[in-house]
Amino acid sequence: MLVLSRKLNQAIMIGDDVRIVVVAVDRDTVKLGIEAPRTIPVHRSEVYEEIQRTNRAAAGEPQPPASENARIADLGKGRRPPPQKS
């Protein structure tokens, strides 16, 4: 994972087409503006995960265990996931 520091109104570029700008910072919340072509879907991670679950269910694929979903959610919150049991 690449970690960058940005100040208010500073941006990062992803490829040539996606620009992410720090729009506001308030305590523990950062608002980001995302400029991307309409052909590139942009979702919050929890919305994206729900779309993926719905698509897998519609295709009849097995769902990942709930513990895996919790582990993925923890990654998005900056916490380390619990160690995998073998």
Side-chain angles (χ1 to χ4, degrees):
M1 174 188 304
L2 173 64
V3 178
L4 300 172
S5 296
R6 300 279 71 203
K7 294 180 181 178
L8 191 61
N9 297 319
Q10 290 183 331
I12 64 167
M13 293 295 299
I14 299 176
D16 294 329
D17 299 329
V18 179
R19 183 171 185 252
I20 301 174
V21 181
V22 178
V23 176
V25 179
D26 182 34
R27 295 185 187 172
D28 63 346
T29 301
V30 176
K31 288 187 181 180
L32 302 173
I34 302 168
E35 298 171 5
R38 291 189 181 270
T39 56
I40 298 176
V42 177
H43 303 286
R44 296 187 327 259
S45 61
E46 62 273 15
V47 172
Y48 177 80
E49 290 166 10
E50 182 60 32
I51 291 168
Q52 295 302 306
R53 277 193 295 276
T54 302
N55 289 344
R56 282 192 298 270
E61 295 178 18
Q63 299 296 312
S67 62
E68 183 66 14
N69 288 337
R71 193 174 86 77
I72 292 168
D74 283 345
L75 289 174
K77 295 177 184 170
R79 292 191 289 242
R80 289 184 175 222
Q84 293 285 325
K85 294 180 183 177
S86 301

